[in-house]
Amino acid sequence: MNIKFTLFVHGVPKGQKIWGPSEQDRDYIGLSYGKYKDKPNKVLSVEINGENSYYTYFVGQNVLAKDGRAGSYFALTLRINRYYADVKNIYNLLDAAYNKYILNKILKYNGVVSSYLIEDFIQVNDYLLGLEKEIVNYLNQFSSNTDLLPLSGFPKQVKSVEEICLFDCDSGKITQLIKTSGAIMISPDYPSITLKSIMKKKDDEIQKVKEDGQNAMKEIRAEYSIAEKNITTLKKELEIEKEKADGLRKSLENSNKRVLDLEKLNRSGKQLQDELKKKNDKLGKVEQVLPKISTAVKELSSAFDGNVVRGDDYDTKPQIKPQPRKIKVNSFVSFSVSLLNTILLLLIFIVSMILLPKSCTDRNNQALADSQNEIQSLKSELANKKQELNKLKEFSEKIFKGARIDVEKFSNEKKYLKKGEESNISLLEIGGSFTVDPGLTITEKGLVRAGTEKGTYKIYYQVGDSVVKSREIEVK
């Protein structure tokens, strides 16, 4: 079988134009329009199609039609009825033909874009026939039987396309790739095997970093989710503890009031005891006097009874004319008896008044003892509630352990606020509030504002009555 080399020239000088092909090749060549848009500016396509192999040298970047329209291309296609193994030689041959015969005759290049100088290849028909003759003569002269292989072992259509750097073209390896895929593309602009290896290694490293980063992000998100749940739980617990603390404070206030009332009652009881003691002392003195008064009354009563005329002597004895002195004595005695009876009644009343509180002494003593017991119980209750408040304070300190008050305007280079400067501040928001030293203020928007005096001041985060975190702020 004779070896046949045929050259086709095609592109878009003014619409797509094709030079040289027979009808059987026109459909294949026609597919080139737009086929290499995303490829490097100069690329050699090698494809097996039916009983022929096609080698297309394609220029497709920054090519303008004759009228200046963009999106054009230019190509030289060499059809061979064998497989030409030295594809690197083919690339160099067609690249030389483009630079020597095409530029400045069919295309001009200004260093940026290539522009057509003709509207149709038929205008340079004889010129292209001469180019074809030069290429065929070169291949016949410089090709060997080992370069030209029969197509019996190659696929009849393209399965896939491999992209190879021109400088990595090894005839044996390229032949095996063509037998596997049916097509390759060669360009000096494709990355070399060495570069591909480096790129793959870097890509693998980048992918590893991405995967590590994604895994780290997943872990961070998981930890953040757990932290959010913990914060939510802590907020609920803190709210419960705050309610308990409020209840404890109210209970403490009530208990303190009761203690004060009971202490007042205790003092009143002691005063009552002192008064009772004084009255008991007086009562003892009265009791000592009563027997003497009673004896005197009895003696006066006896004397009175001895000097009064009894009724049974009135009729038996002769009447004696009363003496004036006797009457006077009897009247005095009668008056004395009446007076003593009155005094006795008065003393009995006084004693009754004194004895009445004395009869209540036991009850007062019992009430006093009960109040003292209640005071002791309340003091014990107060001690327990103070202990609970201390536990609440420890709980708050545990929540905020390791936390820090963040000042938005602070950075690695700047750890202070200027006079009058404002900044956001933040900490775990779990029901607390910020307070500051004089020299700083908290605005209505919750910002911390530096005053007009230089110095170092403190900002505090307070939960209830307890300060759980603080931070110094320097004002310059």
Side-chain angles (χ1 to χ4, degrees), residues 241 244-246 248-249 252 384-395 466:
E241 296 300 327
K244 287 181 180 179
D246 291 339
L248 285 170
R249 289 189 188 95
L252 281 172
N384 291 335
K385 288 176 180 177
K386 286 178 180 177
Q387 189 175 4
E388 288 184 32
L389 284 174
N390 288 332
K391 288 181 180 179
L392 178 62
K393 184 177 180 182
E394 291 174 2
F395 175 75
S466 301

Side-chain angles (χ1 to χ4, degrees), residues 31 41 54 69 181 192 217 234 290 299 317 364 419:
L31 297 174
N41 186 43
Y54 293 85
R69 284 188 297 178
S181 64
S192 65
M217 285 299 296
L234 288 172
L290 281 177
E299 289 177 356
K317 290 183 180 182
N364 289 334
K419 293 179 182 178

Side-chain angles (χ1 to χ4, degrees), residues 408-425:
E408 187 181 41
K409 293 293 181 70
F410 280 13
S411 64
N412 291 333
E413 296 79 20
K414 180 175 176 286
K415 297 288 185 183
Y416 61 88
L417 293 179
K418 296 177 182 178
K419 293 179 182 178
E421 186 178 6
E422 294 181 353
S423 175
N424 277 320
I425 50 177

Side-chain angles (χ1 to χ4, degrees), residues 60 90 292 449:
I90 293 290
K292 296 179 181 180
R449 178 186 293 157

